[in-house]
Amino acid sequence: VPSTFRLTLEYDGAAFQGWQAQAGEVRTVQGVLEAAIARVSGERVRVQGSGRTDAGVHAEGQAASVCLATVRDLRVAPAGFDARRSARSKLYRYALWNGPVRSPLRAARAFCLPQRLDVEAMREAARALVGTHDFRSFQAAGSSVATTVRTLLRLEIRGAPGRALALDFEGTGFLRHMVRNLVGTLVEVGTGQRAAGQMPALLAARDRSRAGRTAPAHGLTLLRVRYEGDPEESGPQGADSDPLIAGGDSLDRSAS
Amino acid sequence: VPSTFRLTLEYDGAAFQGWQAQAGEVRTVQGVLEAAIARVSGERVRVQGSGRTDAGVHAEGQAASVCLATVRDLRVAPAGFDARRSARSKLYRYALWNGPVRSPLRAARAFCLPQRLDVEAMREAARALVGTHDFRSFQAAGSSVATTVRTLLRLEIRGAPGRALALDFEGTGFLRHMVRNLVGTLVEVGTGQRAAGQMPALLAARDRSRAGRTAPAHGLTLLRVRYEGDPEESGPQGADSDPLIAGGDSLDRSAS
């Protein structure tokens, strides 16, 4: 669903041949805005001004509207807001396709694993990973950070074996490749290569070589970042409860 | 004063070499955003992500922050908002520099008129223009609109003769070149070429050739556009009461 945005713009009229977009190399306010939006979003949209300003006329508070489907939200933040330092938690989803046949429609967004997974064993392993632990065993080799202790607030495995699966990781911070290394390890539990009960020992080892392989990047999606003052359920369109996101397939489809 | 913005972004990781900007031709999310902002605003700023995503990793709700001095405001609008059709009123300011010597610092933003203006006569003429009238005499020749009746809610002349002057026009809508033609006509009143009392007859004539010359574009600034639901005083930073805007000079400077 596209959102409508209202922009308030200031410009020096001397820099533009007026508001209205024109063919050719003429620099206009509307033309520059539309080109920039196309570059970022891939959407060719019309930016509607409150009216045209002629060549040379300035604006202190020109208003414009634009409908965009790809920009999820944009707002004025409190002074000092910093997307990295102000973050309280992040939610990542890793999508697996566990159907017996590779799915071309899902291959770009999910890690395809034809071997039927023991999801209950994976859930048992996941429970041991939740909490504050030293996750060094799951950090990319060669990384250097002050501490490898992180807090995993939630690790949920949704869906059913043999169909689409989603692994949701919510934490206050993540080490490099931590989610993908946890997924790779949990998949080895699901395939029976690794016992579900070995997670505490694996954490205690603090040794990357003891954990599983790094799952591929294309199955991973950053669903949302939460900040102080955000409403409790602040996912974009309730992303973390929407099974259609980051898998291209309803997790409930196995029931149909 | 720069504003801090919070963006929520969705992207397909396959289209980017990860989040972080890199030298050279590598396409990254941060790099594309920063280039687009530079193109629109002229500001070379850093877009801070909540963290990096690796090459191939997707985002449904990546968060980012950016400080911008040139973008005045940007917000999500109600569905159906249209900057042109939803507008309730617009406020334009025309800046005049009436000092006896041409001012290079003001020349780019103000119409420089060395001849001392009779501002009281201009104010008398302005009072006759406020209200709902047929403004055809002040419409650019050759324009074609359904009706040339417009409502001028306010026409204030601020400042003192011999220094900076600002003419504020607030109306529900304006004809093409209407503000500049009104300014040109009022200037002729200020220089004594035209009587202050002739405005009713000039309106009644509905004849462009009877009004004054079109004042140059570079003195004109669209200060703000007001929409239903906006607070009563919604100018950007109270633009319409800030004498420093659109003149490059305090209107009170004559007192110093």
Side-chain angles (χ1 to χ4, degrees):
Chain A
V1 182
S3 295
T4 305
F5 292 90
R6 170 175 162 183
L7 296 80
T8 305
L9 303 162
E10 175 177 341
Y11 47 83
D12 182 337
F16 301 93
Q17 292 294 313
W19 167 267
Q20 193 173 27
Q22 296 176 38
E25 291 297 296
V26 181
R27 182 177 159 90
T28 67
V29 182
Q30 190 185 38
V32 165
L33 278 171
E34 290 175 357
I37 288 169
R39 191 170 146 77
V40 169
S41 71
E43 292 183 76
R44 301 223 150 260
V45 292
R46 177 100 303 191
V47 175
Q48 175 72 55
S50 73
R52 303 169 194 176
T53 50
D54 286 334
V57 174
H58 316 288
E60 165 72 23
Q62 167 71 300
S65 52
V66 62
C67 281
L68 291 172
T70 49
V71 176
R72 305 215 58 113
D73 192 28
L74 205 162
R75 62 182 76 179
V76 178
F81 174 81
D82 176 292
R84 187 176 57 81
R85 284 184 290 106
S86 310
R88 290 289 165 268
S89 68
K90 293 181 186 176
L91 176 63
Y92 282 97
R93 174 167 292 174
Y94 198 95
L96 294 175
W97 172 246
N98 191 218
V101 178
R102 187 179 170 281
S103 167
L105 280 176
R106 298 176 185 91
R109 295 278 191 288
F111 180 22
C112 293
L113 284 165
Q115 188 183 342
R116 196 173 179 93
L117 296 169
D118 181 346
V119 175
E120 281 315 309
M122 293 168 73
R123 288 189 175 121
E124 182 193 333
R127 279 191 289 274
L129 295 163
V130 173
T132 301
H133 304 289
D134 187 335
F135 283 95
R136 175 168 295 202
S137 293
F138 298 95
Q139 178 182 235
S143 303
S144 148
V145 286
T147 170
T148 46
V149 174
R150 293 290 182 277
T151 299
L152 194 58
L153 300 166
R154 189 154 67 93
L155 200 181
E156 283 173 21
I157 305 178
R158 305 149 68 88
R163 303 293 300 180
L165 290 171
L167 285 71
D168 285 353
F169 297 81
E170 185 163 22
T172 55
F174 291 91
L175 301 168
R176 183 157 166 76
H177 291 181
M178 177 172 151
V179 174
R180 291 161 61 191
N181 292 338
L182 286 167
V183 171
T185 305
L186 290 170
V187 161
E188 290 174 12
V189 171
T191 56
Q193 295 167 269
R194 191 182 284 272
Q198 70 167 236
M199 296 302 125
L202 186 47
L203 286 165
R206 305 176 74 245
D207 177 358
R208 173 67 190 95
S209 70
R210 299 277 295 275
R213 292 207 289 176
T214 308
H218 72 268
L220 184 61
T221 299
L222 173 58
L223 278 193
R224 67 159 163 67
V225 187
R226 194 168 275 168
Y227 294 91
E228 198 170 296
D230 281 353
E232 196 49 36
E233 191 41 71
S234 71
Q237 304 178 350
D240 56 346
S241 62
D242 181 351
L244 285 169
I245 287 176
D249 187 84
S250 166
L251 295 173
D252 298 320
R253 187 168 159 169
S254 57
S256 69
Chain B
V1 181
S3 295
T4 305
F5 293 90
R6 170 174 163 183
L7 296 80
T8 306
L9 303 163
E10 175 177 340
Y11 46 82
D12 181 337
F16 301 93
Q17 292 294 314
W19 167 266
Q20 193 172 27
Q22 296 176 37
E25 291 298 295
V26 181
R27 181 176 159 92
T28 67
V29 183
Q30 190 185 39
V32 165
L33 278 171
E34 290 175 357
I37 288 168
R39 191 168 144 78
V40 170
S41 70
E43 293 182 75
R44 301 224 150 258
V45 293
R46 176 102 302 192
V47 175
Q48 176 71 56
S50 73
R52 302 170 194 177
T53 49
D54 287 335
V57 175
H58 316 289
E60 164 73 24
Q62 167 71 302
S65 52
V66 62
C67 282
L68 292 171
T70 49
V71 176
R72 306 217 58 114
D73 191 28
L74 204 163
R75 61 183 77 179
V76 178
F81 175 81
D82 176 291
R84 187 176 57 80
R85 285 185 289 107
S86 310
R88 291 287 164 269
S89 69
K90 292 182 186 177
L91 175 63
Y92 282 97
R93 173 166 293 173
Y94 198 95
L96 295 175
W97 173 245
N98 191 218
V101 178
R102 185 179 172 281
S103 167
L105 279 176
R106 298 174 185 92
R109 295 277 191 291
F111 180 22
C112 294
L113 284 166
Q115 188 184 342
R116 197 174 178 94
L117 296 169
D118 180 346
V119 174
E120 281 316 309
M122 293 169 71
R123 288 189 175 122
E124 182 193 332
R127 279 191 289 274
L129 295 163
V130 173
T132 301
H133 303 290
D134 187 335
F135 284 95
R136 176 168 294 201
S137 293
F138 299 95
Q139 178 182 233
S143 302
S144 148
V145 287
T147 171
T148 47
V149 174
R150 293 290 184 274
T151 299
L152 194 57
L153 300 166
R154 189 155 65 95
L155 201 181
E156 283 173 23
I157 305 178
R158 307 150 67 87
R163 302 293 301 181
L165 290 170
L167 285 71
D168 285 353
F169 297 80
E170 185 163 22
T172 55
F174 292 91
L175 301 167
R176 182 156 167 78
H177 290 183
M178 175 173 152
V179 174
R180 291 161 61 192
N181 291 339
L182 286 167
V183 171
T185 305
L186 291 169
V187 162
E188 289 173 14
V189 171
T191 57
Q193 296 166 267
R194 190 182 283 272
Q198 70 166 234
M199 294 303 124
L202 187 47
L203 286 166
R206 304 176 74 244
D207 178 357
R208 173 71 189 92
S209 70
R210 300 275 296 275
R213 292 208 290 179
T214 308
H218 71 267
L220 184 60
T221 300
L222 172 59
L223 278 192
R224 68 159 162 66
V225 186
R226 194 168 276 168
Y227 294 90
E228 198 171 295
D230 281 353
E232 196 49 35
E233 192 41 71
S234 71
Q237 304 180 349
D240 57 347
S241 62
D242 181 351
L244 286 169
I245 287 177
D249 186 84
S250 167
L251 296 172
D252 298 320
R253 189 166 156 173
S254 58
S256 70

